[in-house]
Amino acid sequence: MEKIMVAVKRVVDYNVRVRVKPDGSGVVTDGVKMSINPFDEIALEEALRIRERGDAAEVIVVSIGSSECQQQLRTGLAMGADRAILVETGQPVEPLAAARVLLKLIEREGVELVILGKQAIDDDNSQTGQMLAALWERPQATFASEIKFADGKATVTREVDAGLEVIEVDLPAVVTTDLRLNEPRYVKLPDIMKAKKKPLDTIAITDLDVTTDAQFKVTNFAPPEQRQKGVMVEDVAGLVKALKDKGLV
Amino acid sequence: MSRILIVAEHDGNSLNAATAKTVSCAADFGVEGIDVVVFAADGAAIAEQAARLTGVTRVIRVDHSANAQPLAAVLAPQVAALAADYSHVLGPSTTFGKDLMPRVAALLGVGQLSDIMDVQSAYTFRRPIYAGNAIITVEAPEDRTLVATVRVASYQAAAEEGAAEIESRDLDVALPEHTRFKEVRGGSSDRPDLQTAPRVVSGGRALGSSENFELIFGFADSIGAAVGASRAAVDAGYVPNELQVGQTGKIIAPELYIAVGISGAIQHLTGIKDAGTIVAINKDGEAPIFEVADIGLVGDLFQVIPELQSALN
Ligand SMILES: Cc1cc2nc3c(=O)[nH]c(=O)nc-3n(C[C@H](O)[C@H](O)[C@H](O)COP(=O)(O)OP(=O)(O)OC[C@H]3O[C@@H](n4cnc5c(N)ncnc54)[C@H](O)[C@@H]3O)c2cc1C
Ligand SMILES: Cc1cc2nc3c(=O)[nH]c(=O)nc-3n(C[C@H](O)[C@H](O)[C@H](O)COP(=O)(O)OP(=O)(O)OC[C@H]3O[C@@H](n4cnc5c(N)ncnc54)[C@H](O)[C@@H]3O)c2cc1C
């Protein structure tokens, strides 16, 4: 295949313990470390491996968001993507709007495979890939832990509640990644230098002629309920007693 | 017209408990009716189960050979065709529902709401974000169909005291052929189901090997518990992926959760927030799991578990 597109989202790093602002207006993001959504790193790694084994010619990384997303796109280029596109907007983008934007780019570029993360670890929606596949009227293979290609088809193993499900999809198709698909490579310093010369195009979201207005309104952010402080027991006998006291054994 | 359509999840033979929990959530919306749709090759038995769920007004049975397996690309246009008669379309927030519902929403040209944990009105909900580190209140527009998934760990299963009518329906919808089911592996186990079991014992990286993990299986069997695992244990290949508990695994709410050799990373804790009692066994007294545990024991699991097993039997 000619081109693979990978969507990467800029999110709060997974090591950061996210806190809600006291006034309930959002979560604290000032000065917090931002990274590529971990599932999207896996998506990019998979695309690079497909290209490296000669099954694709070009890997394009795309992000939708503020100009700061350039950092994550540069990381993507340093990992090995050939070029990057930033669709710039200062507004929050709901999954349906993100899917519409990605579809525009697919049509412009003539992409045959789109790989996304199965969920973004900030909003945890797990929607964008499925919506994109619906709008594009193409197959979706979500929660992938293995992808193989042959004769214009992909055979994808999916992590589902019952275990592992295998489906076959015709290309073009949308794939979303689960954690066990691969282990993303580390970026080396020379790659970061090289990435600075790779093309990164910016398109204003308003130039794409898609409807992106938000449908849902978030009226409040609250911290989760805290569990009551528990007890420490000294030994197995203490544990058995505590369980009996609660009527659990 | 305010009616809810719920897409039933099943394994081809019987209804999944997630559906009964979704019905409980739907009961909080205060709408005129709750219908359940069963897509299957032959959905007779499943439809009868759904009809018994308290709160369900009607069961729609759509039998078609293409519905033998739950492929989102095949089911979504059928759900979308039915949606015109409903104000809300709900599915469980399982891998089945997460795969299907966004595709339904996009076909209808609307957004989708994920993981409803609390219904404040038919258009106002609470849901977790950032692995449960924040809970947001979200308002959905009333002028279009609301498509959403339900965080099943937040709800009890609906009772089985109903007797809804069952209606068979043929849908005149073109079904795509670009997606084909091959096989499903795993899942066949005589042990209690991780997502519904009242007791769960989970093991972490500390087990060190799949042979050692037998210790967890043996202990769990001795108290009739289901077995879970941390991501680290799954990644290391000690147990299969369907046992993973957490942000990217299963979100569960057993009465008793025993975490053995699990550090308590935030992504793991997300999966057990609603457990009744959390017991932690870890040799490191500083492990974050003790911050959420109701009962904590600092000790070496290889000594503690055999001792505990014999003390309880
Ligand atoms: C300032 C601000 C305010 C916000 N306010 C709201 C609000 O009021 N209501 C609300 O619902 N949401 C709000 N959001 C969140 C925003 O709308 C979410 O990004 C959106 O809901 C997408 O959800 P998700 O990332 O969980 O999607 P998922 O479907 O979980 O993402 C899956 C995959 O899609 C791809 N993807 C998703 N988004 C992008 C992107 N932007 N660029 C590239 N790839 C992407 C990635 O590959 C990702 O792994 C706000 C965000 C910001 C920054
Ligand atoms: C995007 C993302 C999603 C994730 N999703 C999930 C998820 O869904 N579920 C999940 O579980 N994780 C998830 N993780 C991984 C998570 O961050 C942790 O890495 C993982 O949970 C650690 O597993 P663990 O507790 O088994 O291992 P460790 O953190 O290595 O902990 C092992 C513990 O065992 C104790 N120990 C060692 N030997 C003994 C002994 N002999 N007796 C008693 N105790 C002992 C140690 O003190 C330690 O606390 C995710 C991570 C990312 C980045």
Side-chain angles (χ1 to χ4, degrees):
Chain A
M1 80 194 105
E2 204 41 43
K3 296 180 189 175
I4 304 179
M5 184 183 282
V6 176
V8 302
K9 188 177 180 193
R10 172 185 165 90
V11 299
V12 172
D13 188 84
Y14 79 94
N15 282 310
V16 173
R17 199 158 196 156
V18 172
R19 279 174 304 116
V20 173
K21 290 183 191 162
D23 66 359
S25 65
V27 299
V28 178
T29 50
D30 287 349
V32 162
K33 183 178 180 211
M34 304 295 286
S35 297
I36 296 183
N37 181 39
F39 292 97
D40 303 353
E41 268 184 2
I42 294 170
L44 178 53
E45 176 65 35
E46 195 64 20
L48 296 174
R49 289 185 192 186
I50 294 167
R51 188 194 63 196
E52 284 160 4
R53 14 173 234 268
D55 283 341
E58 190 179 40
V59 174
I60 310 167
V61 276
V62 178
S63 194
I64 309 162
S66 70
S67 60
E68 290 169 305
C69 297
Q70 286 182 19
Q71 291 166 16
Q72 282 64 41
L73 288 172
R74 287 285 170 210
T75 308
L77 292 170
M79 276 178 73
D82 298 288
R83 60 195 172 91
I85 302 174
L86 168 63
V87 177
E88 198 170 350
T89 170
Q91 299 300 314
V93 183
E94 288 180 358
L96 182 61
R100 285 178 176 143
V101 166
L102 293 173
L103 181 60
K104 277 278 170 181
L105 298 180
I106 289 169
E107 287 166 354
R108 279 192 181 186
E109 298 280 350
V111 173
E112 276 154 287
L113 177 67
V114 185
I115 314 183
L116 304 89
K118 81 160 176 179
Q119 77 196 61
I121 60 162
D122 49 1
D123 300 291
D124 283 337
N125 277 318
S126 192
Q127 300 174 3
T128 309
Q130 297 88 309
M131 289 182 160
L132 172 61
L135 299 178
W136 196 15
E137 298 178 38
R138 294 306 308 166
Q140 68 190 44
T142 52
F143 326 139
S145 65
E146 192 185 353
I147 312 174
K148 289 191 210 137
F149 297 97
D151 315 324
K153 296 192 274 278
T155 303
V156 181
T157 305
R158 308 177 53 229
E159 294 205 3
V160 296
D161 290 336
L164 295 172
E165 183 192 84
V166 183
I167 62 171
E168 184 185 79
V169 298
D170 297 338
L171 297 176
V174 174
V175 173
T176 79
T177 59
D178 217 316
L179 290 168
R180 278 168 284 276
L181 182 58
N182 60 49
E183 254 183 66
R185 65 196 65 189
Y186 285 103
V187 174
K188 294 188 268 335
L189 194 61
D191 298 328
I192 297 173
M193 302 313 289
K194 256 194 288 177
K196 291 194 174 138
K197 299 202 188 76
K198 290 185 179 175
L200 191 166
D201 295 328
T202 299
I203 306 173
I205 201 165
T206 43
D207 288 344
L208 283 179
D209 189 30
V210 290
T211 323
T212 56
D213 45 323
Q215 175 172 334
F216 297 104
K217 203 164 99 195
V218 180
T219 55
N220 182 250
F221 290 72
E225 274 175 39
Q226 293 301 319
R227 295 181 69 95
Q228 287 202 325
K229 189 92 191 85
V231 295
M232 295 299 287
V233 294
E234 288 300 314
D235 49 21
V236 168
L239 176 53
V240 172
K241 180 171 183 304
L243 287 170
K244 286 206 168 122
D245 288 349
K246 284 181 173 268
L248 288 165
V249 291
Chain B
M1 171 210 66
S2 74
R3 283 187 90 81
I4 296 179
L5 179 67
I6 293 174
V7 185
E9 177 172 357
H10 60 83
D11 63 3
N13 300 308
S14 55
L15 203 62
N16 181 309
T19 308
K21 295 183 177 192
T22 306
V23 169
S24 287
C25 172
D28 291 345
F29 281 62
V31 297
E32 289 152 36
I34 301 173
D35 294 358
V36 174
V37 59
V38 175
F39 296 101
D42 172 5
I46 304 159
E48 273 170 34
Q49 274 183 293
R52 283 197 292 276
L53 294 174
T54 306
V56 173
T57 27
R58 184 171 36 169
V59 176
I60 301 168
R61 193 179 141 193
V62 184
D63 282 6
H64 192 295
S65 57
N67 293 343
Q69 301 296 337
L71 293 171
V74 172
L75 298 183
Q78 301 178 68
V79 180
L82 291 170
D85 296 332
Y86 297 90
S87 52
H88 300 74
V89 184
L90 301 183
S93 180
T94 54
T95 52
F96 165 78
K98 285 188 205 166
D99 190 35
L100 174 62
M101 301 312 280
R103 188 156 184 133
V104 171
L107 290 180
L108 296 173
V110 299
Q112 191 235 284
L113 191 69
S114 297
D115 302 313
I116 294 177
M117 58 183 283
D118 179 37
V119 179
Q120 304 196 318
S121 79
Y123 293 94
T124 312
F125 310 92
R126 297 201 314 143
R127 66 169 295 255
I129 58 171
Y130 288 102
N133 275 315
I135 310 294
I136 52 173
T137 307
V138 186
E139 280 175 16
E142 299 190 15
D143 62 355
R144 58 193 98 168
T145 316
L146 177 65
V147 181
T149 60
V150 174
R151 181 176 183 275
V152 285
S154 299
Y155 293 90
Q156 303 286 328
E160 294 179 30
E161 290 160 356
E165 56 173 300
I166 300 174
E167 179 191 317
S168 284
R169 196 81 77 82
D170 279 324
L171 296 176
D172 185 20
V173 178
L175 301 180
E177 286 168 6
H178 51 48
T179 306
R180 291 165 295 272
F181 174 85
K182 289 287 176 195
E183 60 168 332
V184 63
R185 295 197 295 266
S188 59
S189 145
D190 298 335
R191 296 197 166 85
D193 172 38
L194 176 58
Q195 265 165 319
T196 49
R199 293 173 173 183
V200 174
V201 180
S202 280
R205 194 199 310 270
L207 270 301
S209 66
S210 48
E211 292 74 39
N212 288 347
F213 214 95
E214 288 301 323
L215 192 65
I216 300 294
F217 284 109
F219 173 53
D221 289 348
S222 78
I223 60 166
V227 172
S230 71
R231 175 186 168 192
V234 176
D235 282 0
Y238 307 160
V239 289
N241 66 287
E242 64 266 25
L243 298 193
Q244 182 174 319
V245 171
Q247 182 184 18
T248 48
K250 289 182 174 137
I251 312 276
I252 58 175
E255 285 159 30
L256 175 63
Y257 185 79
I258 305 183
V260 183
I262 291 179
S263 60
I266 183 71
Q267 294 89 1
H268 186 80
L269 300 183
T270 308
I272 58 170
K273 280 209 163 77
D274 295 304
T277 298
I278 297 175
V279 175
I281 298 164
N282 194 304
K283 70 175 184 191
D284 173 9
E286 303 291 308
I289 188 80
F290 289 120
E291 288 166 32
V292 300
D294 300 285
I295 309 173
L297 173 59
V298 178
D300 185 338
L301 75 94
F302 295 103
Q303 281 163 14
V304 171
I305 295 302
E307 243 186 86
L308 182 59
Q309 187 169 334
S310 59
L312 290 177
N313 286 311

